[in-house]
Amino acid sequence: MNKNSIQDLKELIRAGLGKTPAHTVVRHGQLVNVVTREIYPADIAIHKDTIVAVGDVAAYIGPDTRFIDAGGKYLVPGLIDGHLHSECSKMSLTSFAKAVVPSGTTSIVSGLDEYISVSGLEGLREVLDEMKQGPLKVFWGAPFKTPYTFPPSTIAFDIKKEVHAEVQKWPECFGVWETVREFIQEEDEDTLGAILEAGRNHLPVFGCAPMARGRELNGYLCAGVRLDHESYDHEEVVEKLRKGMHVLIRESSVTHFLKENMRAVSEVNPAFARRVSFCTDDVTATDVLAKGHVDHLVRLAMAEGVDPLTAIQMGTLNSAEAYRIDHLVGSITPGRLADILIVDDPASFKVERVISNGVLVAQDGRITSSLQPPARSAVLSGALKRPLAKPEDFEYRVGIRSGQATVLSMDVKGPFVRKRRDATLPVVDSVVQPDPRQDVLLVSVLERFGRNGNQSLAFCSGWKLKRGAMASSAAPDDNNLICLGTNALDMSVAVNHLIVNGGGQVVVDGGKVVEFLPLPVGGIVSDLEPSEIARREELLAEAARNLGCDLPDPLMYMFFLPITAIPDYAITDAGPVDCVALRTFDPVLRLTEG
């Protein structure tokens, strides 16, 4: 919305008064009014990128007005994903827009934190500029702190409270992003400083409080957090709503929480719906192309008994209000940006055409205009700053020559939840041996920004690899190199392939690369077409399945291992982490010589 001067504002007011003819009129549509919960015939007058009139707009038509005929279909506001790490899709913002805009998503709320972790504020500025060239709006929240692993891991750039004093004044900043509960609970000075700065700038604080209940939730709310996107059951949703939070129900590619969480609305209190909205958090190209994006969540909510108008509210106005951006997006009303979907019917919710910023940008599931990524500077396309690895780097050495080691293996119980599993492994030539027969693999994280050369080693279970290794340079929250495998040689080959090629995801078997997805932009995303990324995602998953893995998304489950915000265990370059005690630990519990 171009209101940079008094003259701009005068121009828009005149357009609203009908003194200036509309640039575009959408006619012959049924308006889905999410503000008043009504559906009725209405036309829409648009001046440049802004809606100026809704209803009878005959007085707004001039000789040069362009028309978009809705053909009696339904007019719905552009959809909003209320919490999203677009980087976890492995698609650049340009590629991501190609994937989600045809499904009706015209706005996302994101911290773009993965970009910051690998390229700092300089890289972030490039991504923010990239965003402005496309049809997808990004409402940026400044990450409360980086890194937000606890204890701190290594990244390319650390956000401290002093950085917030600068970035919260940027025009792109709409709040403080994903404030993790543990940092408030531990009274982290940088986190509290970011919250105080937000108060001075009248910006909302976005939350991240999985499994927070009772006193822990009360203390968290006293810090001023407005909303949360992490609830593991509907009772958690109910408590958060009753304590005044806006709640985003998450349905990602690997965490399927919508059905359970929607019980707060369908079983406990239908009135809760007005403060509930949607987010996907982490999605793959494969899922978006197969199922859709926020439109898929709208349909899922209806399948759980939510009426169409309420489900559409959740995907539009509710999210805009939660983030205090409803003066810009979330409804088809005068003064809002002209993000309009032409939908077959509210009950089936098939998005047929997409208007973003007053321009028809997608039709029948495809982007209608040319959308090209920008040239990438060295800031976002440089080499990984890590020497090549040797097989012995992936040997867990101990103080006995032979015998047995009892180890704590991080046993995956879902994409984020790892539980303790004690296992006994053989020690040969002072090296603890991974044991695929027991489903106990070695996992390692290697710092890749040239700051300290850290490397951690630990043990994990749940992948069921019988041979080979996997590695990724995309691994939130710090995006260091993560690798897990059955043997040191394959692990070194996997890591070195990523170092030589500037990042990506790889599966190795018998010392040879089986599949590889290059991620040259920051080592975390690609400018490839979404369909090509989806194709390679499936090849990687199939390669992992051929090694024995039966997880839904083996690479994604692996690259979530460094996330320390959810109990019980994680691993970063600082070491394996006890996410309850908030400290690193020694995974070798006991040695028995023999």
Side-chain angles (χ1 to χ4, degrees):
M1 187 179 295
N2 187 16
K3 293 193 294 186
N4 297 321
S5 67
I6 289 177
Q7 186 57 40
D8 291 334
L9 189 55
K10 287 180 178 179
E11 183 182 326
L12 189 57
I13 292 169
R14 290 168 186 160
L17 291 168
K19 295 180 178 180
T20 302
H23 289 91
T24 305
V25 164
V26 181
R27 58 184 179 181
H28 305 145
Q30 296 287 322
L31 178 70
V32 178
N33 191 323
V34 294
V35 178
T36 61
R37 293 182 54 83
E38 298 175 279
I39 298 177
Y40 50 86
D43 295 344
I44 304 167
I46 301 168
H47 175 76
K48 294 183 177 177
D49 62 357
T50 303
I51 298 165
V52 293
V54 180
D56 180 357
V57 301
Y60 292 80
I61 296 172
D64 298 321
T65 300
R66 299 183 299 268
F67 295 96
I68 297 174
D69 194 330
K73 302 294 178 69
Y74 293 81
L75 307 175
V76 172
L79 300 172
I80 303 168
D81 190 327
H83 182 97
L84 174 68
H85 302 264
S86 65
E87 306 95 312
C88 289
S89 72
K90 303 177 289 295
M91 294 183 279
S92 67
L93 271 181
T94 299
S95 293
F96 191 78
K98 293 177 183 179
V100 303
V101 169
S103 295
T105 302
T106 54
S107 297
I108 64 174
V109 181
S110 180
L112 302 174
D113 44 323
E114 314 302 339
Y115 288 108
I116 296 171
S117 73
V118 300
S119 62
L121 297 185
E122 190 177 356
L124 172 65
R125 288 276 10 144
E126 292 190 20
V127 174
L128 290 172
D129 290 341
E130 175 185 0
M131 167 201 79
K132 295 171 186 175
Q133 307 308 311
L136 181 66
K137 284 171 278 297
V138 180
F139 292 93
W140 180 64
F144 75 99
K145 177 179 179 168
T146 61
Y148 43 81
T149 44
F150 206 120
S153 57
T154 307
I155 58 175
F157 179 81
D158 297 340
I159 290 183
K160 306 292 186 184
K161 59 180 182 293
E162 293 79 13
V163 175
H164 274 271
E166 172 193 350
V167 299
Q168 286 190 26
K169 293 179 173 60
W170 290 3
E172 298 92 347
C173 185
F174 286 85
V176 176
W177 168 261
E178 197 161 15
T179 311
V180 174
R181 174 176 58 86
E182 286 80 0
F183 287 84
I184 290 176
Q185 180 179 303
E186 298 299 311
E187 300 179 4
D188 175 74
E189 294 282 329
D190 285 310
T191 303
L192 301 185
I195 292 172
L196 288 174
E197 187 67 29
R200 286 189 282 268
N201 292 310
H202 307 292
L203 292 173
V205 178
F206 317 152
C208 177
M211 307 179 194
R213 305 288 296 272
R215 290 184 296 172
E216 288 183 344
L217 180 57
N218 294 339
Y220 187 64
L221 291 172
C222 285
V225 179
R226 179 174 174 83
L227 54 88
D228 182 61
H229 72 286
E230 294 250 16
S231 296
Y232 276 61
D233 59 44
H234 78 281
E235 293 175 345
E236 187 178 343
V237 172
V238 169
E239 182 173 352
K240 288 173 177 175
L241 288 166
R242 285 175 172 166
K243 289 181 175 178
M245 300 190 88
H246 291 265
V247 171
L248 285 74
I249 290 180
R250 177 174 70 184
E251 181 78 10
S252 77
S253 287
V254 291
T255 51
H256 305 293
F257 289 165
L258 187 144
K259 184 179 181 68
E260 164 61 25
N261 285 352
M262 199 58 71
R263 293 174 61 193
V265 174
S266 62
E267 296 180 13
V268 180
N269 186 350
F272 286 158
R274 197 59 184 83
R275 289 174 74 89
V276 171
S277 53
F278 297 131
C279 75
T280 63
D281 205 352
D282 310 297
V283 289
T284 63
T286 301
D287 266 9
V288 171
L289 296 182
K291 301 175 182 177
H293 191 227
V294 180
D295 60 318
H296 173 55
L297 275 60
V298 171
R299 291 189 291 270
L300 287 178
M302 289 189 285
E304 295 307 310
V306 176
D307 69 87
L309 263 174
T310 299
I312 293 169
Q313 272 185 325
M314 289 176 172
T316 57
L317 182 63
N318 291 10
S319 193
E321 289 180 345
Y323 284 98
R324 296 181 183 167
I325 55 175
D326 53 305
H327 61 299
L328 298 173
V329 293
S331 63
I332 299 175
T333 48
R336 274 68 180 180
L337 288 166
D339 293 349
I340 303 161
L341 313 181
I342 299 176
V343 175
D344 65 337
D345 185 272
S348 52
F349 207 74
K350 179 183 178 183
V351 177
E352 298 183 351
R353 283 178 280 174
V354 180
I355 298 165
S356 176
N357 299 322
V359 177
L360 183 66
V361 296
Q363 184 167 343
D364 299 326
R366 294 182 178 276
I367 290 284
T368 56
S369 59
S370 175
L371 192 57
Q372 299 299 321
R376 301 295 180 183
S377 76
V379 174
L380 278 171
S381 59
L384 307 189
K385 298 176 182 177
R386 180 83 196 186
L388 294 179
K390 303 180 293 294
E392 51 264 37
D393 294 333
F394 301 96
E395 295 177 346
Y396 200 109
R397 306 193 73 82
V398 291
I400 61 173
R401 182 161 180 79
S402 63
Q404 293 181 325
T406 302
V407 304
L408 188 159
S409 182
M410 299 177 289
D411 192 12
V412 63
K413 298 298 184 184
F416 299 111
V417 178
R418 277 81 59 172
K419 295 295 183 181
R420 174 172 174 165
R421 177 188 168 198
D422 291 359
T424 300
L425 302 177
V427 176
V428 179
D429 295 331
S430 300
V431 176
V432 181
Q433 305 294 311
D435 190 350
R437 292 173 300 177
Q438 295 187 67
D439 184 26
V440 181
L441 308 179
L442 190 74
V443 61
S444 180
V445 175
L446 301 88
E447 185 268 327
R448 56 109 160 172
F449 305 109
R451 296 187 66 178
N452 54 35
N454 281 355
Q455 180 182 359
S456 62
L457 295 170
F459 302 93
C460 64
S461 299
W463 278 264
K464 300 180 183 176
L465 296 188
K466 301 297 186 290
R467 59 186 192 277
M470 309 186 302
S472 176
S473 59
D477 291 315
D478 49 33
N479 293 293
N480 284 304
L481 285 166
I482 185 166
C483 180
L484 63 79
T486 62
N487 66 87
L489 175 62
D490 283 348
M491 292 178 74
S492 66
V493 170
V495 164
N496 287 342
H497 192 76
L498 298 185
I499 293 171
V500 169
N501 288 280
Q505 294 187 330
V506 66
V507 175
V508 171
D509 185 17
K512 295 181 179 180
V513 172
V514 179
E515 291 295 343
F516 172 53
L517 168 60
L519 300 175
V521 183
I524 56 175
V525 298
S526 169
D527 286 321
L528 289 171
E529 291 295 316
S531 58
E532 177 60 15
I533 293 175
R535 186 182 75 86
R536 297 196 185 196
E537 283 176 344
E538 180 52 38
L539 289 173
L540 283 166
E542 182 63 26
R545 286 192 284 268
N546 288 338
L547 299 181
C549 185
D550 61 0
L551 292 174
D553 191 322
L555 276 296
M556 186 171 260
Y557 271 60
M558 179 184 70
F559 82 29
F560 285 143
L561 274 170
I563 294 176
T564 64
I566 301 172
D568 289 342
Y569 299 100
I571 183 171
T572 71
D573 70 297
V577 178
D578 181 328
C579 303
V580 178
L582 302 176
R583 60 173 177 80
T584 57
F585 67 93
D586 185 347
V588 175
L589 305 174
R590 185 171 61 256
L591 293 171
T592 305
E593 196 163 9

